[in-house]
Amino acid sequence: MGIEDLHADVAIVGAGIAGSSIAWWLTRLDPTLSVVLLERDTGFGSSSSQLSASSIRQQFTTPVNIQMSQFGLEFLRDARSLLAVEGEEVEIGLTLPGYLFLASPAWAEALRAQNVIQRAHGARIELLEPDALAARFAWLNTADLALGALGAGVEGWFDGPALHSAMLRSARAQGTRLVRAEVSAFEFAPTAPGASPDSRRVTALHLADGRKVVCGQAVNAAGPWSRRLAAAAGIELPVHARRRTVFVLSCPTPVPGCPLVVDPAGFWFRPEGRHFIFGTTPNPDADDLPLEPNLAEFDEAAWAALAHRVPAFESVRVERAWAGYYEMNLFDHNALLGLHPGFANLWCATGFSGHGVQQAPAAGRGIAELLLYGGFRTLDLSPLSVGRLAEGRRVLESNVIG
C-alpha cells in the first residue's frame, strides 16, 4: 500500500451539486463518518452545477419529481442558515415568480390533466385561460394560446453556483475531504464460489496519479462523465453529455412580472437581472460536444418565435452566451439513484437530465439514508432506482424541458 493512499467510509466520485449534497447529508446525519469527494476539476470550470440556469419547478407529472422539488424548495428557503459556516450565512437569491407553461389548443387538455396530478400532490399551480393570461401579462401574445399554467410562489430560480459552493464548503466544514483526483479504475474483492449475484464489492478506487482510495462504499455522482466512470466498473449507463447553450439577451422595453416561460414552440426564457436568458433544445442533439456556445441556435427562426410570443423582444440583442452539459438519461430522462444491480456497495446518483440542481437536496438526502439506514426515511425515491434499467421500467415524465 502506497504511503499516499487514502481511506474513507464513503468515496464519492464527483464534487458537483449531487456529490456535494450526498457528502453534506452524510456528514450532517453521521458526523463520525469518513467521507471523501474525488473531483478531477476542483475549479469546476466545466461543472454543470456552475453552468446551470438554476431554476426550480413543481410542474412535473410524476409524483416523485414533484415531491423532490417540494423538498428542494424548502431546502432553498432554509439554505441561508442550513449551509452557514461559523455563523456566516449564505445568500442564494431565491426568487419565486413561477414557471409559466403555455399550451396551444392541441395541448390544452394535456396541461389540464397534468394540473390534476400536480394539485393532487400539493403543488399550487394555477390554470389561466387566454383572457386571464393577457390581463396578467400584458406583454404576452396570447392569440394562439389556449391555456397557461403558473406556479407563482412555489417555482422560480436561484443562484445555483452559490448553492453549490455553499453546500461544498459546509460539507467540508462538517468533515468531508475534497481531493483533486481522477478515478481510473475500480478494485473489487474476490468473489467467493456460490456468492450472491449482487455481492460484487468495491474495495478501492484507483486514481490516475497512482494513488488509491480504500473505501467501504463508493458513489458514482460524476454527472455528464458518469457513463465513462460506470464503464470502468463494467456497467452500461445510458447517461450522455448533451450540450445546452444559454443566451443572455437585452431588451430595451420593460417586460414586468415575467416568470420563467416555457413556450409551445420548444424554447424557454426568464429574467436574469437586467437581462433575460433563453434556451432551446438543439437539433441535432449530439453527445460530448465541446463546451462552447453554439451561437447558431439563436437564429432567425428562434428570434422570430421569441418575438412572436413577446412582441417587445423584436428588439432583443444577444449580449453573450455560455454552454453547459445536461447529464441526459436517454432511457427515460429521469434521475438514476441507488445501488447498482450486481454490486453490494456501488451506488449511483446521476442522469438528472437538466433537473440536477433543483433535485440535488432530495437526492443527496435519499442516497445518504440508503447508505446509513438501508432505506429511505424522508422521501420514497425508489421509483428512480437505477435498477429500473435492468427491469425495463421507465418513469414516464411528460414535462422534460430541453
Side-chain angles (χ1 to χ4, degrees):
M1 184 174 64
I3 59 172
E4 295 187 41
D5 289 350
L6 305 171
H7 290 74
D9 295 320
V10 183
I12 303 168
V13 185
I17 189 68
S20 296
S21 178
I22 296 166
W24 187 84
W25 282 110
L26 282 171
T27 50
R28 180 178 177 87
L29 296 173
D30 185 355
T32 69
L33 209 62
S34 169
V35 178
V36 62
L37 279 167
L38 302 169
E39 173 58 53
R40 64 178 185 172
D41 175 21
T42 51
F44 300 102
S46 58
S47 167
S48 300
S49 306
Q50 294 289 324
L51 298 169
S52 166
S54 306
S55 305
I56 185 165
R57 62 183 167 105
Q58 295 181 24
Q59 292 192 62
F60 290 98
T61 60
T62 53
V64 67
N65 282 331
I66 296 170
Q67 292 161 355
M68 289 179 79
S69 284
Q70 290 170 334
F71 182 93
L73 178 60
E74 293 310 307
F75 188 93
L76 293 176
R77 283 173 165 156
D78 295 337
R80 180 193 298 267
S81 56
L82 281 175
L83 301 180
V85 175
E86 296 179 351
E88 182 180 340
E89 295 188 337
V90 300
E91 180 54 60
I92 63 165
L94 178 64
T95 182
L96 299 171
Y99 272 61
L100 176 61
F101 278 80
L102 301 174
S104 64
W107 289 101
E109 288 310 307
L111 198 62
R112 293 185 193 280
Q114 292 170 13
N115 186 255
V116 171
I117 297 170
Q118 292 152 8
R119 286 188 166 273
H121 291 88
R124 302 194 310 274
I125 309 301
E126 181 183 6
L127 290 180
L128 299 171
E129 303 292 338
D131 287 350
L133 281 170
R136 191 157 183 169
F137 307 109
W139 41 264
L140 187 71
N141 175 15
T142 62
D144 57 346
L145 297 176
L147 195 65
L150 177 68
V154 296
E155 300 176 316
W157 52 88
F158 55 96
D159 187 337
L163 175 69
H164 173 224
S165 298
M167 186 168 278
L168 179 57
R169 179 171 179 250
S170 182
R172 297 179 72 182
Q174 292 173 177
T176 298
R177 287 176 292 168
L178 175 64
V179 176
R180 183 174 184 175
E182 182 170 2
V183 175
S184 58
F186 290 82
E187 184 176 318
F188 299 98
T191 303
S196 164
D198 295 331
S199 64
R200 198 175 188 205
R201 177 171 291 276
V202 176
T203 56
L205 303 176
H206 288 254
L207 308 181
D209 62 10
R211 294 178 296 170
K212 70 178 181 179
V213 182
V214 179
C215 58
Q217 305 284 339
V219 182
N220 180 354
W225 301 277
S226 57
R227 178 166 59 114
R228 186 185 311 166
L229 180 67
I235 298 167
E236 292 185 15
L237 202 61
V239 177
H240 297 250
R242 294 292 177 87
R243 183 181 66 191
R244 294 293 181 267
T245 299
V246 179
F247 295 87
V248 180
L249 310 176
S250 61
C251 177
T253 305
V255 183
C258 184
L260 191 156
V261 178
V262 183
D263 194 84
F267 63 82
W268 61 268
F269 65 88
R270 70 164 174 83
E272 178 69 15
R274 296 180 296 106
H275 297 90
F276 293 85
I277 58 176
F278 166 95
T280 188
T281 304
N283 184 24
D285 191 11
D287 288 350
D288 302 314
L289 295 174
L291 276 184
E292 298 171 1
N294 182 6
L295 300 181
E297 289 176 17
F298 194 80
D299 56 12
E300 288 293 324
W303 173 82
L306 183 61
H308 167 75
R309 186 58 60 215
V310 182
F313 285 163
E314 289 180 359
S315 54
V316 296
R317 286 183 51 186
V318 176
E319 299 293 338
R320 60 187 182 277
W322 79 84
Y325 285 132
Y326 274 11
E327 52 189 89
M328 193 67 78
N329 168 17
L330 297 187
F331 179 72
D332 63 7
H333 298 86
N334 283 288
L336 297 166
L337 305 175
L339 191 64
H340 278 290
F343 294 85
N345 65 339
L346 179 54
W347 304 81
C348 180
T350 187
F352 292 95
S353 303
H355 309 138
V357 177
Q358 64 179 292
Q359 292 187 336
R365 172 122 196 174
I367 295 295
E369 290 174 349
L370 288 176
L371 285 164
L372 293 173
Y373 314 130
F376 297 116
R377 292 192 174 181
T378 306
L379 294 176
D380 180 7
L381 304 184
S382 57
L384 300 177
S385 166
V386 66
R388 75 182 188 274
L389 297 177
E391 299 164 4
R393 174 179 57 81
R394 286 176 167 81
V395 176
L396 301 178
E397 172 58 61
S398 300
N399 280 354
V400 176
I401 302 172

